[in-house]
Amino acid sequence: MMNMRLKKAISDIRHAPGRFSMVILALVVGIWGVGSILVSYYVLSQDLTRNYLNTLPAHAILTSHDFHKLDMAALRARAEIEEAEFRDLSIQRIEVSPDQWIPLWLYGVNDFSHMRLARITPEQGAIAAQQGSLLLERDGLRISNLDRVKRPRLRLPSGVVHVPISGIVFDPAQAPATQDHLIYAYTDQQTFANLIGAPGNQRLILRFKGVTSKEAVERAVAQLTEALAIQGIHLSRIEIPAFNQHPHQWQLDTLMLLQGGISLLAFAMAAVLVSQLMSALLSKQIRQIGVLKAIGGSRAQVMQIYAFMVLVVGVIAGLIGIPLALLSGYGFSYFVAYALNFNILTTQLPWTLYLAIVAISLLLPLALSLPILSKGSRISVRDALSDYGIKVHWKKSKMRSLQRMPRSLVMAFRNTLRQKKRLSITMLTMALGVAIFSTGFNVRQSLVTLLQETSDTMRYDVRVVLKKPISASKAQSLFSQMGNVRQLEFWNGGHGELQTRGVSGGSGTGIVALPQGSELLKPKIVQGQWLQGQERAEMVMNLQAWEQSNFPPIGGRRSMLLEGRQVEMTLVGLVEEFEKPKIYIDQQYYFNAVNSDRQANSIMFAAKNTEYEAVVSLKQEIERRLAATNLPVLEVMSHAERMKIIYDHLNIVLSVLLFFAFTVLLVSALGMSSAMGISIMERTREIGVLRAIGATPAKVFRLFETEGMLLSVASILLGLLLSWPLSRMAAAFFGDLMLGGADLRFVVSGQGLLITLITTLLFGWMASRIPARNALKVTTHQALAYE
């Protein structure tokens, strides 16, 4: 019996190699996608966490100038403390290429040979930083020339100095340097104190016993803070990172969600395609089924024959798709690991994972085909033997409505409606492919639009943020006579990710005090009004700060901590911007309230020539002038560079979205091609009749082309209609997940729309031409004799 089933399956595949090849190819793509996500999900979900936890990351970070009073032995002996260690941090600057400086996060380590927490792994050179030298984190080499410069320049409080690099280390607990555009370095505690010019042991990192959540850590920190206060140790800063979570875990989670959902959809489409093929095969072989039943075959036996055929198709697709899934799953894992700076540790996959991929490749197509097999095998012997092909019932009203259309278009339209169920499935799968593919482009365009709007609101080209404020006259003299400077303004507070801690609210919200009538910041006002100046106690919040403050009403007064002083201010407006929580106040009011010296810590430059190369040259000139001073610089950033940093954070996710969206479109196009092939196969005898009454092969060929175009156009229209709500939901999802709730508005991508139209129409054109050419190779005599 098994041998007969196998012969039957092989015979049917040999008689229709094109159709079966198309289905197998679609199934291979689906298995490839689902298998890849299973493999990469297993590897990445474990390895990023394992890399991170292997460093023994801190549960909490405490900063104080009073730690010289701390008894470390007594602290480590406390019941709730698992481990404690001093790990100082200072943000300085390092030259990564000639006149190109970026932030340097410099860590001071007490003992490299006994790092209890936040451990790093040596990779090249010295295991421990030699006195007077640095260990460089490896990811920084990708955004610098430090692999060739053995003694880079550092801009420190004492000035610019050369510090040698003695080794390269790996620290998977840090956010990727390539995405945040900064350098991580480590040195011994004595060198750290000498470079910074300040005493060490002011930053304490801790791990607690038995904690299972961030809330548990917060409770333990609160108890420890009270105990330290009794000892006269007062904390100036408390940081509690996400519990046991890599800083860029969100990127990995988003990638896995996208890859999983879209790959599963692609495989489901491929499985539906298998069921469509079986439906067409059963329609063609109805008389064979009648003969089998007439000679004693039962319904169960007939179902087994065709179910075995589905399994054969699944096995063939699995033999091709599963090895590809393993290779691409690991390849994707290494790609993500490279982007997020961690190592792949998993070298073997569990047997249950292989079993799951095999089961999916075999059972899902079979499950979707069972209703069709059940219906086809239920037909009676009489009905099966008297079947003569497709039955079409047209209402006269429909016929009259089509009389005004060209005859060839009428025939194409009627032919597409012959198998309404198949038409619905084909259109829906193709429309889903179009919708998802178009959504990928729309989300990317939404991000580009957001960044463009951000550029329009921030009208400066370069900003300099100092750790300590200076007088406007000193800054003016330092940057006078610069050729490409159109306007120079002095602000208090920063306006980016890297904030000075000198100007902030009690909740850590950034505060920006800027001159009245400044033309270098024009945020979008969504409620109320902008600052009116005249030294009023007014403030404007961005939506992030408004949410953080529990949505205070416009016009209400609010108490705020400003430079350690409690002040009452009136909220007059809300602005929308892609920023961290910010509060804007009038600079004159700020000077009068807490800064009588009228000093500023941020210098904003607007360039005359805003082309990228000209702005880069301006930034380099600013760097050269700063290098000749001893000013403590926190950051020099061009606006174009900042936008690139933001885009780099998101581009990896959006690129993966587009890749897998194209996979769905490809599978849906294969489905349409297979459906067209099945339709043409069923009408082989009709083709013979058309040719017998005088229709030329060219006319028959154009008829099928028209049918393919009608199906493509209908699928595109439905897909674009579906992409509208899908793009809106995707934009809201990405805005909430990746941009901290920023409004990522739905924008139609013109380029994406054009690519989608061209790709879908091309697939539709090919889907009709290839099976039509094969059908026209059959002679009129053979076509008329076809059953």
Side-chain angles (χ1 to χ4, degrees), residues 255-366:
L255 288 172
M256 294 295 98
L257 179 64
L258 289 174
Q259 189 185 14
I262 296 178
S263 296
L264 187 60
L265 178 61
F267 183 68
M269 287 180 173
V272 168
L273 187 55
V274 175
S275 68
Q276 282 187 317
L277 175 66
M278 297 311 300
S279 175
L281 192 63
L282 287 172
S283 298
K284 176 186 174 184
Q285 297 184 0
I286 285 179
R287 292 191 181 184
Q288 293 184 26
I289 294 172
V291 171
L292 289 172
K293 284 191 168 185
I295 62 176
S298 66
R299 177 187 175 191
Q301 288 175 326
V302 172
M303 278 193 66
Q304 289 175 10
I305 290 173
Y306 291 99
F308 187 80
M309 190 178 301
V310 175
L311 291 177
V312 169
V313 171
V315 168
I316 295 173
L319 290 174
I320 302 172
I322 291 175
L324 291 174
L326 296 175
L327 288 173
S328 61
Y330 263 105
F332 182 72
S333 299
Y334 277 101
F335 164 73
V336 174
Y338 179 75
L340 298 184
N341 190 35
F342 65 94
N343 290 335
I344 295 298
L345 305 176
T346 300
T347 57
Q348 291 185 337
L349 301 174
W351 66 269
T352 52
L353 185 62
Y354 293 104
L355 184 62
I357 299 174
V358 172
I360 289 174
S361 63
L362 296 179
L363 298 182
L364 186 57
L366 182 60

Side-chain angles (χ1 to χ4, degrees), residues 245 366 518 527 651:
Q245 190 175 99
L366 182 60
S518 172
Q527 193 173 343
N651 193 43

Side-chain angles (χ1 to χ4, degrees), residues 587-767:
Q587 192 176 58
Q588 287 300 322
Y589 172 81
Y590 172 76
F591 285 157
N592 294 339
V594 296
N595 189 347
S596 58
D597 292 337
R598 297 178 176 268
Q599 294 184 325
N601 73 313
S602 296
I603 309 165
M604 323 303 280
F605 297 82
K608 296 176 182 176
N609 183 351
T610 58
E611 293 182 2
Y612 182 79
E613 293 78 7
V615 173
V616 169
S617 298
L618 172 61
K619 180 174 177 285
Q620 292 175 331
E621 174 63 21
I622 293 170
E623 293 281 14
R624 284 190 288 270
R625 297 199 179 202
L626 287 170
T629 71
N630 60 353
L631 291 176
V633 179
L634 178 67
E635 178 184 42
V636 178
M637 176 72 71
S638 73
H639 189 59
E641 288 174 323
R642 182 167 182 263
M643 292 300 101
K644 185 178 185 303
I645 291 173
I646 296 170
Y647 191 80
D648 286 347
H649 274 76
L650 306 179
N651 193 43
I652 179 177
V653 175
L654 297 177
S655 297
V656 170
L657 171 63
L658 280 177
F659 173 77
F660 285 102
F662 180 75
T663 302
V664 173
L665 184 62
L666 176 61
V667 172
S668 63
L670 291 173
M672 185 173 72
S673 179
S674 178
M676 287 294 299
I678 291 169
S679 175
I680 293 173
M681 173 201 73
E682 292 173 339
R683 290 152 53 197
T684 302
R685 182 178 291 183
E686 180 183 319
I687 294 172
V689 172
L690 289 172
R691 292 174 63 177
I693 62 176
T696 63
K699 287 184 178 180
V700 177
F701 190 75
R702 284 197 298 272
L703 175 65
F704 290 131
E705 274 191 325
T706 304
E707 291 178 26
M709 288 298 101
L710 284 174
L711 185 57
S712 296
V713 170
S715 300
I716 289 172
L717 293 176
L718 180 58
L720 294 179
L721 188 64
L722 290 174
S723 72
W724 187 279
L726 192 60
S727 295
R728 287 185 177 277
M729 290 188 292
F733 168 77
F734 282 109
D736 183 62
L737 180 68
M738 300 192 300
L739 305 178
D743 184 15
L744 191 59
R745 285 184 293 276
F746 164 61
V747 179
V748 175
S749 170
Q751 180 188 33
L753 179 61
L754 181 61
I755 293 175
T756 302
L757 289 173
I758 292 174
T759 304
T760 310
L761 290 173
L762 179 63
F763 281 158
W765 181 69
M766 294 176 62

Side-chain angles (χ1 to χ4, degrees), residues 455-481:
S455 297
D456 292 340
T457 61
M458 300 177 189
R459 301 181 180 182
Y460 53 84
D461 297 291
V462 182
R463 71 164 179 261
V464 175
V465 182
L466 305 174
K467 294 181 181 179
K468 295 180 181 179
I470 62 174
S471 66
S473 59
K474 182 176 181 180
Q476 191 77 50
S477 63
L478 178 62
F479 297 110
S480 62
Q481 298 179 352

Side-chain angles (χ1 to χ4, degrees), residues 58-68 70 72 75 78 80-81 83-89 117 200-208 217-229 231 233-241 501:
H59 287 151
I61 304 166
L62 311 181
T63 304
S64 174
H65 297 295
D66 301 327
F67 279 142
H68 61 278
L70 179 66
M72 282 294 289
L75 175 66
R78 291 178 63 94
E80 76 275 20
I81 299 297
E83 194 52 82
E85 180 181 345
F86 284 114
R87 183 70 54 82
D88 287 314
L89 168 65
L117 299 175
N201 293 345
Q202 296 188 2
R203 183 175 179 269
L204 182 68
I205 57 177
L206 302 160
R207 280 183 70 87
F208 296 96
V217 173
E218 289 172 346
R219 290 192 293 270
V221 169
Q223 294 176 0
L224 181 60
T225 301
E226 293 178 2
L228 293 175
Q231 303 174 41
I233 301 173
H234 300 284
L235 304 179
S236 58
R237 186 176 178 85
I238 299 174
E239 300 172 63
I240 302 177
R501 297 173 185 174

